[in-house]
Amino acid sequence: MTPIPGTILAFDPGETTGWACLRQGKVAGGSFSLWSEVERLVDRARPDVVVVEDFLLYPNKMRQLKWNRLRTIRVIGVIEFVCQKRDIPCIFQLAKERLSIEVKEVRGFNIHATQALRHAILYASRSGDTAYNSLQTRRTPKNSYRRDDGLEQ
């Protein structure tokens, strides 16, 4: 079992990058454009772990992404770089994994911050941290997702 982290900072990367921070039973979150606030947030939150929604290019989506600038991947690179520079573990979760967690609406959270919150709570619950169970509306996962991309750590 993963040790329970004190502070979890999660990101939903993209054109609009959502973030959520869990610390001592409290929640904060928001969003910003691309990677503009990644370094400042990491320095301010001083997380024990950073959770990032991973990006996989599925064969059936390749044609759709032709000539795409793949900004999501670039945001993920910035997050990884900042974490590596500060020696902070960076954990990746697939987008479909967050679907097992439903969360209550949090005032001031847009869809991107809410998706980041789902990733943070999923990581916390997998680590055995029950402090954030009250934010969940569905405690038992609807589906049991497992990584099927060969990248399991």
Side-chain angles (χ1 to χ4, degrees), residues 120-148:
I121 291 174
L122 177 62
Y123 182 82
S125 66
R126 286 178 173 171
S127 300
D129 189 345
T130 58
Y132 305 97
N133 284 352
S134 64
L135 290 171
Q136 294 183 48
T137 58
R138 184 175 62 224
R139 292 175 197 244
T140 307
K142 174 171 69 171
N143 298 308
S144 179
Y145 291 107
R146 103 179 155 67
R147 289 188 76 117
D148 57 0

Side-chain angles (χ1 to χ4, degrees), residues 62-148:
M62 291 174 85
R63 189 166 275 154
Q64 284 175 247
L65 293 174
K66 199 174 199 176
W67 300 107
N68 188 300
R69 294 191 178 274
L70 300 172
R71 287 189 171 103
T72 299
I73 295 170
R74 292 158 67 187
V75 173
I76 291 170
V78 170
I79 295 167
E80 272 189 288
F81 175 74
V82 169
C83 289
Q84 187 176 42
K85 236 170 83 171
R86 288 156 177 78
D87 201 27
I88 299 169
C90 192
I91 307 298
F92 292 91
Q93 294 178 161
L94 295 175
K96 68 181 183 180
E97 290 179 285
R98 74 169 144 70
L99 299 177
S100 67
I101 299 287
E102 289 291 335
V103 296
K104 294 178 181 175
E105 193 172 312
V106 178
R107 184 179 296 175
F109 276 43
N110 64 14
I111 186 67
H112 304 289
T114 300
Q115 303 302 26
L117 178 60
R118 290 170 80 178
H119 277 295
I121 291 174
L122 177 62
Y123 182 82
S125 66
R126 286 178 173 171
S127 300
D129 189 345
T130 58
Y132 305 97
N133 284 352
S134 64
L135 290 171
Q136 294 183 48
T137 58
R138 184 175 62 224
R139 292 175 197 244
T140 307
K142 174 171 69 171
N143 298 308
S144 179
Y145 291 107
R146 103 179 155 67
R147 289 188 76 117
D148 57 0

